[in-house]
Amino acid sequence: MNLLQNLNEQQLAAVTLPNQSALILAGAGSGKTRVLTTRIAWLIQTGQMSPQSVLAVTFTNKAAKEMMTRLSAMLPINTRGMWIGTFHGLCNRMLRAHHRDAGLPSTFQILDSADQLGAIKRLLKANNIDDERYPPRNLQQFINGSKEAGLRARDVEVNDDYNRKFVELYGIYDAQCNREGVCDFAELLLRCYELLDRNEILRQHYQDRFSHILVDEFQDTNKLQYAWLKMLAGGHGRAGSITGARNAIFAVGDDDQSIYAFRGANVGNMSDFEREFRVQNLIKLEQNYRSVGHILNAANALIANNARRLGKELWTDAGEGEPVRIHEAQTDGYEAAWLVDEVRQLITEGHVRAEIAVLYRSNAQSRVIEHALFNAGIPYRVYGGLRFFERAEIKHALAYLRLIENPSDDTAFLRIVNFPPRGIGARTLEQLADAARGGNASLYAAVGGMTGAPGAKLGAFVKLIESLRFETANLPLSEIVDAVIQRSGLIQHYQAEKEGQERVENLGELVNAAAAFVQEEGYGADAPGTQGEAAAAIPSPLAGFLSHASLEAGDNQAEAGQDALQLMTVHAAKGLEFFAVFITGLEEGLFPHENSLTELDGLEEERRLMYVAITRARRRLYVSFAQSRLLHGQTRYGIKSRFLEELPDSAVKWLTPRVAAQGGGGRFGQWHDPGVKAAAPAGSVRSQPSHGFRVGQSVRHAKFGEGVIVNLEGSGDDARVQVNFGVHGVKWLLVAVARLVAA
Ligand code: ATP
Ligand code: MG
C-alpha cells in the first residue's frame, strides 16, 4: 500500500522528514493528525523504526484509539503493545511497570477529580481545618496547579500565612495519598517525571527505546508534560536548556486551538520547543480539507480578531458551499425545538445521526436539549456529562473492587463501608479514623482494634471484603464483578428502591463492560512481543479494569451500534469532525463565558474555543442563541454574543430577522430587547415602571448580596433590572421573581 499517495506537497514533506525535531504548525482540518499517523506508519514500513520504538501522545483516549485503528488499516501490525496514548495513560503504564521504583504499591489506584475532592474534604475534617477559610476546591486547584508546575509542597514558595497553610495541607495530602496507595491525575505525571529524573538506568532505558516521539495537539500541553517529553527525548537539564537531545520530537499543533490555558496549558511550549530543540523544520499546512468555503471564511474572520497569533490563513478548494445559518429563539426551549426540527430534516435528507453534532459551551446547557430530543424520540449520546463510570452506583461497585485490590484505599473504604446501609454511623467512623491516625494505619487495618457493637459491624464488613477477595481470586473478571455486585448487596439495594431500575441496569452493564474490556485488551491470548519489561507492564485484569474505569470514563457509554446524535461541550469536540454542527447558546456571558469577560486573555481563549467549534463542521453549520434561558435555576436574559458580529455578512444567512443595532455604546453593543418586543407593544417600554427601582440604586439579593442597578427594562410582569453584583458579576433579573430589596 502506498502510504504517501493521498498527501499534498507540504504534508508529504512533513511525513517524510528526516529524524530531526520538527514542528508542524497548522490550522484546523489541514491534516495534522493525518500527517502524524501517516508518519508513524511510514517510519515503520520503511524500516526506520520498529513499532516498539515509537511514543505517540494524543489528547483523548478516543483520539488514541482512532490512531491505532488507522495504523492497523495502513499496516499489517498489531498495535496493542504500542506506546500510543494520552499523557495520563502512558504515565500510568510506566508507573505500573516500575511501581516499586516509583514508591507505589503494585495495586495503586487512580483518584479522579471527584475522588480527589472527597479525599481533600476528609483531610480538612481530620485536621480540624475551617473549610470556609480554606475551601476544598481551592486547595484542590492549588495542589493540582503546583503539581503541574512540577512542585512538591517543599518546593512551593511561601509568601504569607494563608499560603503557608495551603502548602502545609498540600504536604499532608500527599502523605495521605501515599499511605492509601492512590494517585490523582496530576500525580501520575509528576510521579512519572520524578521517577525518570531520579533513576538514571530507567531514564537511559526509555531514552534508548523511544527513538521517535510524536505529539498531537501540542498547543495544549502544560509545563510538566513538556518537561516529561524533554526528559524522554534525552534533553535533560532542569533549567530548560537542552544539550544535544538524543531523540527527535515531532510535534503538531495549532496555536489558534489552544483552549486549555485555564488548566495550565502553555502555548509558550511551542516557541520554547522551537528554540530548545533548535527546530529546523517548521512546516505550515494551510489547505483545509474539512470544511466548505463559507465555514472556513467564518472561522478565519472570527479568529482574526485575536491579537496574539502566530498567524496563518486557511484556504480550501472545496467551493463555497452553504452559508452559516444563524437562528434567534425566544427561549432556550424554543431553541431546542428549532434544533429538533432541523435535525429531523437532516435525517430525512439521509444523513446519519452520528454525523450531526450539537455543541455547547457549558455542560448545564445540555439538559434542555436532551429533554427535547428525548421527547422527539431522537437517540443521542452525551459526551462528557455524567458519564457511565461517574454514576454513583458504578462508583460504589468499583469501590468494592478497589478495596479487594487494595485494602488501604480509604476513599473506597469510606464510600462503601455503610453502603448499602449496615448501621455504621458517623460516630463510629470518627472513632475509627482516630484509631487509624493514632496507629498510622489505614481505616481497613484499624478495624481490628475496634470493640463493642461498632467493632462487630465493622468487622463484618471487613470479613465480607476478605471473603470476596478469597472467593473471586481465580475467577474471570466479569465473574468477579458479578460476584461483587451481588454479594455486596448493591443489586438488592437498588432493586428495592422505587426508582432504582436504571441503576440495576447500569450495574448489569458494568459486568458487560468488564467482559468487553478483557476481550478488547486481549487478556489470556498471549499478545506477541510482550516479554520482560513489557510483560511486567501488563497489570492483572482487575487492576487494568480499574485504571481503565478511572482514565477512560465515558469512552464506552454509547450503546453499541446505535446511531446517535452527538452532544458535547466545545472542549470535548477538539480534533473531531462532523457533516453538520450546531453551536448553541451564543449569548454574552455564556459564550464568551462570563468568567472570561474581564481579561483579554480570557476573551481570546473563548474566541479560540469558538474557532474550534466552527471548524468541526464539514458542510453545514448552524449557530443559535436565545433571548432568555433558565440556567442554574435562574432566568437569564441574553445579549447576543459578540462572536456573531465577528462573522462576515458574506458567509452567513440569518434564518430569523436580524435586528438592527440599537444604542448600547461599546464596540459590540448591538444588543436588543426582543423579550419586550414580543411581550408588549413598543410604546410601553418607555412607560414608567411600577416597581420603583431606579438606575444607580443600591439593592440586595438573597444569593448575590449587594449590588447597584445599572439598567432597567420593560414593565409589569416583564420588568427586569440589570444589577452589578461586584464579584458575582452583572446580572439581568426579573423584578417579579428576584425579590430585590433596597439596600
Ligand atoms: P484539527 O486541527 O481539527 O485536529 P487536523 O489538522 O488534525 O484537524 P485532520 O483531522 O488530520 O486535520 O484532517 C481533516 C480532514 O481532512 C480529515 O477528514 C482528513 O482525512 C482530511 N484530509 C487531510 N489531508 C487530506 C488530503 N491530502 N487529501 C484528502 N483529505 C485529506
Ligand atoms: Mg487533529
Side-chain angles (χ1 to χ4, degrees):
M1 174 177 180
N2 184 359
L3 297 173
L4 308 177
Q5 66 191 3
N6 289 321
L7 301 170
N8 69 29
E9 206 176 308
Q10 291 78 22
Q11 291 175 333
L12 178 70
V15 166
T16 56
L17 279 175
N19 190 17
Q20 298 159 356
S21 287
L23 178 61
I24 314 302
L25 177 70
S30 58
K32 294 184 296 298
T33 302
R34 181 189 263 225
V35 160
L36 189 134
T37 312
T38 311
R39 178 164 169 86
I40 297 175
W42 178 76
L43 288 169
I44 295 172
Q45 194 187 47
T46 53
Q48 298 180 64
M49 71 172 184
S50 75
Q52 278 77 43
S53 13
V54 62
L55 179 84
V57 194
T58 67
F59 212 74
T60 60
N61 296 302
K62 200 175 152 92
K65 278 208 188 101
E66 174 71 26
M67 197 172 282
M68 297 210 220
T69 312
R70 284 202 211 169
L71 270 179
S72 342
M74 289 190 264
L75 291 176
I77 56 164
N78 182 355
T79 53
R80 180 164 297 136
M82 289 180 72
W83 285 70
I84 298 178
T86 61
F87 282 103
H88 291 135
L90 295 171
C91 287
N92 176 48
R93 187 162 165 185
M94 229 175 243
L95 291 173
R96 298 259 166 220
H98 310 288
H99 65 89
R100 214 166 289 124
D101 293 315
L104 288 167
S106 64
T107 56
F108 77 85
Q109 298 297 310
I110 301 166
L111 294 184
D112 67 17
S113 87
D115 289 337
Q116 185 190 27
L117 189 63
I120 287 173
K121 286 182 179 160
R122 184 150 53 78
L123 174 148
L124 292 178
K125 199 153 172 238
N127 289 280
N128 284 319
I129 307 290
D130 176 2
D131 62 4
E132 297 213 335
R133 187 158 155 70
Y134 302 98
R137 269 182 205 285
N138 295 8
L139 182 57
Q140 182 178 28
Q141 272 178 13
F142 175 81
I143 291 172
N144 293 343
S146 306
K147 287 186 180 181
E148 273 152 19
L151 303 173
R152 290 292 176 191
R154 60 174 178 275
D155 308 318
V156 180
E157 204 178 309
V158 176
N159 34 36
D160 58 35
D161 282 350
Y162 190 67
N163 190 250
R164 179 168 301 118
K165 194 74 192 170
F166 267 61
V167 173
E168 185 193 327
L169 291 169
Y170 174 17
I172 298 177
Y173 167 81
D174 263 1
Q176 171 175 305
C177 289
N178 283 334
R179 197 168 58 242
E180 296 175 7
V182 295
C183 282
D184 57 55
F185 283 158
E187 181 71 23
L188 289 175
L189 266 159
L190 182 54
R191 192 60 83 109
C192 191
Y193 176 85
E194 289 171 345
L195 170 70
L196 294 171
D197 188 33
R198 236 186 7 243
N199 191 320
E200 198 186 336
I201 295 172
L202 272 184
R203 188 168 68 239
Q204 294 273 355
H205 167 79
Y206 281 108
Q207 287 173 349
D208 289 345
R209 172 178 178 157
F210 296 130
S211 59
H212 290 77
I213 299 172
L214 301 97
V215 193
D216 200 358
E217 307 275 5
F218 187 67
Q219 76 280 357
D220 273 327
T221 50
N222 66 29
K223 290 216 151 130
L224 181 57
Q225 290 165 341
Y226 179 48
W228 184 81
L229 290 169
K230 276 201 280 196
M231 177 91 76
L232 288 169
H236 201 41
R238 272 187 176 260
S241 67
I242 305 286
T243 38
R246 195 169 340 158
N247 302 313
I249 295 183
F250 184 88
V252 309
D254 177 6
D255 59 309
D256 288 333
Q257 294 187 71
S258 149
I259 54 175
Y260 280 95
F262 73 103
R263 255 199 230 156
N266 175 30
V267 146
N269 285 347
M270 294 176 100
S271 44
D272 288 354
F273 171 61
E274 227 185 303
R275 194 184 64 249
E276 293 177 348
F277 283 76
R278 300 201 183 81
V279 172
Q280 308 289 324
N281 305 297
L282 183 81
I283 293 187
K284 287 193 181 186
L285 310 174
E286 301 199 298
Q287 178 168 4
N288 173 294
Y289 288 92
R290 181 180 291 146
S291 312
V292 293
H294 280 318
I295 294 175
L296 207 54
N297 290 341
N300 281 338
L302 175 100
I303 200 69
N305 288 284
N306 271 5
R308 267 158 297 171
R309 298 180 63 207
L310 297 176
K312 54 194 149 30
E313 210 48 20
L314 287 173
W315 62 276
T316 176
D317 62 10
E320 285 191 329
E322 300 167 2
V324 177
R325 294 160 158 85
I326 303 183
H327 179 84
E328 170 172 11
Q330 261 189 353
T331 64
D332 48 353
Y334 283 119
E335 182 187 43
W338 160 78
L339 187 147
V340 164
D341 282 346
E342 293 285 349
V343 167
R344 277 213 183 99
Q345 185 60 35
L346 284 164
I347 294 170
T348 316
E349 288 167 20
H351 299 293
V352 294
R353 289 184 283 265
E355 275 293 340
I356 307 171
V358 179
L359 309 183
Y360 34 81
R361 173 68 182 83
S362 307
N363 265 312
Q365 284 169 253
S366 79
R367 195 189 52 81
V368 176
I369 298 170
E370 286 189 60
H371 190 64
L373 290 170
F374 179 80
N375 287 337
I378 299 175
Y380 64 89
R381 177 180 157 169
V382 183
Y383 287 81
L386 194 56
R387 301 174 291 199
F388 183 73
F389 285 113
E390 292 167 2
R391 296 183 181 143
E393 64 277 16
I394 300 301
K395 294 201 83 167
H396 283 126
L398 291 173
Y400 278 94
L401 293 166
R402 282 165 59 156
L403 215 49
I404 290 174
E405 260 300 276
N406 171 16
S408 314
D409 187 339
D410 286 359
T411 300
F413 182 97
L414 286 173
R415 177 175 271 277
I416 52 169
V417 62
N418 196 38
F419 198 92
R422 306 187 169 86
I424 298 171
R427 275 212 28 219
T428 301
L429 290 178
E430 268 169 38
Q431 284 168 9
L432 180 65
D434 286 344
R437 239 187 331 276
N440 200 19
S442 68
L443 295 169
Y444 194 94
V447 164
M450 299 286 286
T451 52
K457 284 180 186 157
L458 286 168
F461 172 70
V462 164
K463 219 160 148 198
L464 169 68
I465 301 295
E466 295 289 353
S467 66
L468 274 171
R469 181 181 307 117
F470 182 70
E471 286 162 25
T472 61
N474 292 312
L475 293 181
L477 180 61
S478 60
E479 289 179 32
I480 300 179
V481 176
D482 196 34
V484 161
I485 63 179
Q486 302 289 346
R487 296 269 321 270
S488 64
L490 279 176
I491 282 272
Q492 296 80 348
H493 174 81
Y494 288 121
Q495 272 164 350
E497 248 187 16
K498 224 166 134 202
E499 301 189 334
Q501 190 46 37
E502 200 196 342
R503 295 180 190 271
V504 170
E505 285 169 17
N506 285 338
L507 286 172
E509 189 55 35
L510 186 64
V511 179
N512 298 341
F517 174 78
V518 168
Q519 187 145 36
E520 278 164 24
E521 296 296 304
Y523 280 107
D526 250 344
T530 47
Q531 307 105 13
E533 167 263 315
I538 296 184
S540 76
L542 179 55
F545 184 60
L546 290 171
S547 304
H548 163 82
S550 306
L551 287 172
E552 312 201 23
D555 267 2
N556 289 326
Q557 91 178 335
E559 286 168 49
Q562 196 182 17
D563 176 32
L565 201 69
Q566 312 279 301
L567 269 62
M568 65 194 86
T569 62
V570 183
H571 279 103
K574 199 159 99 138
L576 307 180
E577 61 183 41
F578 307 90
F579 171 86
V581 170
F582 291 81
I583 314 174
T584 62
L586 261 284
E587 294 135 39
E588 283 290 295
L590 198 56
F591 199 1
H593 196 271
E594 57 196 354
N595 296 346
S596 72
L597 292 179
T598 46
E599 313 146 35
L600 184 62
D601 279 356
L603 187 59
E604 294 213 338
E605 177 145 319
E606 292 290 307
R607 194 175 279 111
R608 291 192 292 270
L609 201 52
M610 183 64 183
Y611 175 79
V612 168
I614 294 174
T615 53
R616 298 309 96 200
R618 288 207 298 267
R619 307 299 292 275
R620 197 177 285 183
L621 177 64
Y622 299 86
V623 182
S624 64
F625 65 102
Q627 295 157 10
S628 75
R629 169 180 309 275
L630 195 67
L631 254 189
H632 310 302
Q634 190 202 357
T635 305
R636 307 164 49 125
Y637 291 88
I639 297 170
K640 75 169 179 283
S641 169
R642 72 191 68 194
F643 296 154
L644 288 172
E645 300 300 328
E646 296 175 10
L647 307 181
D649 287 342
S650 58
V652 306
K653 173 178 160 195
W654 282 73
L655 302 178
T656 42
R658 181 178 191 171
V659 179
Q662 26 170 290
R667 181 173 161 213
F668 305 107
Q670 302 197 343
W671 58 275
H672 57 279
D673 187 9
V676 172
K677 175 188 71 191
S684 71
V685 175
R686 244 154 283 154
S687 71
Q688 195 57 32
S690 53
H691 47 63
F693 289 118
R694 60 182 164 72
V695 171
Q697 185 177 356
S698 295
V699 290
R700 190 192 310 280
H701 181 269
K703 187 157 153 227
F704 307 121
E706 243 179 69
V708 176
I709 296 184
V710 295
N711 214 337
L712 298 166
E713 295 278 358
S715 62
D717 283 351
D718 289 316
R720 44 204 167 89
V721 294
Q722 190 182 28
V723 186
N724 184 348
F725 287 107
V727 289
H728 292 295
V730 180
K731 303 197 190 294
W732 276 105
L733 301 169
L734 215 50
V735 175
V737 297
R739 285 195 248 157
L740 291 173
V741 293

